[in-house]
Amino acid sequence: MGWDELRDAVSACRACDLCKQRKQAVLGVGDAHADEPFVGQAGKLLDAMLAAIDLKRGDNVYIANTVKCRPPGNRTPEPSETAACWPFLARQIALLQPKLIVALGRPAAQTLLQAEVKIGAARGQLFEHQGIPLIVSYHPAYLLRNLPDKAKAWEDLCFMRKTMKGF
Ligand code: SF4
């Protein structure tokens, strides 16, 4: 599947219940026909975090949602939903061939590492997903609710920057 076919497949997908309330399935930044992922306050925070280390979405940074249909009330996706949507994310990764993956939040980390993950314990470590270096950090929506952990997210950004410099 190329990008166009992937976009069409996601738009037509009914593999989990999240399709019932979606307005639009969102593949990721770079998708000209869809809303962007990570909008609202969490998106603003993510952009500010990226800017702090001289990165910008759409400019050597691709942001993809773990599930392409936004869960109602922005709740955390269920494991069955992340599992149903995984083939789309897997295809995005195959097409993008990123040098580094940063998994934000537990659902993303668990999906990519196929293991139980606690962000607090896993952050600061270098993992890999099918040979691609992977680090984990907090989801911006979590950080908005847990401001003291912002300092840890900043440490994670520095770790991410350091890891990228090593390439
Ligand atoms: Fe399909 Fe993913 Fe949307 Fe579920 S969240 S309906 S698997 S595109």
Side-chain angles (χ1 to χ4, degrees), residues 72-130:
N74 271 343
R75 66 161 168 75
T76 303
E78 299 291 341
S80 61
E81 293 161 349
T82 53
C85 217
W86 163 241
F88 295 131
L89 183 59
R91 188 64 196 140
Q92 282 179 289
I93 292 170
L95 289 168
L96 288 163
Q97 302 202 322
K99 291 190 178 133
L100 175 70
I101 297 174
V102 182
L104 297 174
R106 201 166 177 213
Q110 296 195 151
T111 300
L112 288 158
L113 293 172
Q114 289 296 297
E116 277 285 312
V117 177
K118 286 203 169 70
I119 299 297
R123 49 180 290 276
Q125 297 180 51
L126 194 56
F127 298 92
E128 67 170 52
H129 169 78
Q130 296 184 348

Side-chain angles (χ1 to χ4, degrees), residues 10 13-16 18-19 22 25 67-69 81 84-85 88:
V10 165
C13 178
R14 306 194 69 80
C16 82
L18 291 179
C19 69
R22 76 172 164 222
V67 289
K68 311 309 183 196
C69 305
E81 293 161 349
C85 217
F88 295 131

